[in-house]
C-alpha cells in the first residue's frame, strides 16, 4: 500500500511540473512572437501614414499623383480610401504574405490604421 501511495505521489508531482512547464513554454512563445511583431507593427504604422499623406496630396494638389511604391524588402503596403467630404482612411499592412479569400483585407498579418474625419 505504501508503494502505491509513493508511486501515485511521484506521478502527481511530475504531472504538475509537466503542466507548469508546458504553460510556461506557451507563454514564452507568445512573448517571442509579440517581440518579433514589433518591427512589423512599426512598418505597418509608417505605411498607413504614407497612405494618408498620399491621399491628402492627391485630394488637395494633384488627383493623378501616383501612389508611393513600397520596396519588396519592407514587406509592407497600404490601402487608402475616402475623400475630403467625409473621411480618409489608410490601413497599413506589414509582415509576410498571408493567403486570404477576401481581397479587401491586407495580405499581411499586422495592420495599423489611420483615419481623418472632416467635419
Amino acid at each position: 500500500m505504501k508503494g502505491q501511495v509513493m508511486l501515485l505521489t511521484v506521478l502527481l508531482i511530475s504531472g504538475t511540473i509537466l503542466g507548469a512547464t508546458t504553460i510556461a513554454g506557451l507563454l514564452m512563445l507568445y512573448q517571442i512572437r509579440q517581440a518579433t511583431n514589433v518591427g512589423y507593427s512599426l512598418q505597418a504604422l509608417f505605411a498607413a501614414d504614407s497612405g494618408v499623406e498620399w491621399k491628402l496630396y492627391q485630394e488637395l494638389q494633384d488627383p493623378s499623383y501616383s501612389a508611393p511604391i513600397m520596396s519588396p524588402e519592407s514587406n509592407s503596403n497600404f490601402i487608402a480610401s475616402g475623400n475630403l467630404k467625409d473621411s480618409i482612411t489608410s490601413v497599413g499592412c506589414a509582415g509576410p504574405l498571408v493567403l486570404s479569400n477576401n481581397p479587401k483585407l491586407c495580405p499581411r498579418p499586422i495592420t495599423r490604421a489611420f483615419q481623418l474625419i472632416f467635419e
Side-chain angles (χ1 to χ4, degrees), residues 54-65 84:
W54 166 70
K55 194 67 175 171
L56 276 174
Y57 187 82
Q58 193 181 40
E59 291 284 331
L60 295 172
Q61 298 290 326
D62 183 8
S64 64
Y65 193 76
L84 288 178

Side-chain angles (χ1 to χ4, degrees), residues 75-79 91-100 102-111:
N75 287 333
S76 61
N77 57 4
F78 67 89
I79 300 168
V91 178
C93 312
L97 287 171
V98 175
L99 296 177
S100 174
N102 190 347
K104 293 182 180 180
L105 294 177
C106 289
R108 312 216 182 259
I110 308 295
T111 58

Side-chain angles (χ1 to χ4, degrees), residues 31-118:
Q31 290 292 325
I32 290 169
R33 186 176 297 154
Q34 185 178 13
T36 57
N37 285 343
V38 167
Y40 290 144
S41 178
L42 197 57
Q43 288 175 353
L45 188 70
F46 285 124
D49 184 50
S50 296
V52 166
E53 294 290 333
W54 166 70
K55 194 67 175 171
L56 276 174
Y57 187 82
Q58 193 181 40
E59 291 284 331
L60 295 172
Q61 298 290 326
D62 183 8
S64 64
Y65 193 76
S66 60
I69 299 171
M70 306 286 173
S71 69
E73 296 85 28
S74 71
N75 287 333
S76 61
N77 57 4
F78 67 89
I79 300 168
S81 62
N83 56 41
L84 288 178
K85 294 183 186 90
D86 302 317
S87 66
I88 293 176
T89 303
S90 176
V91 178
C93 312
L97 287 171
V98 175
L99 296 177
S100 174
N101 293 334
N102 190 347
K104 293 182 180 180
L105 294 177
C106 289
R108 312 216 182 259
I110 308 295
T111 58
R112 297 291 176 261
F114 283 138
Q115 182 177 25
L116 296 177
I117 299 173
F118 302 103

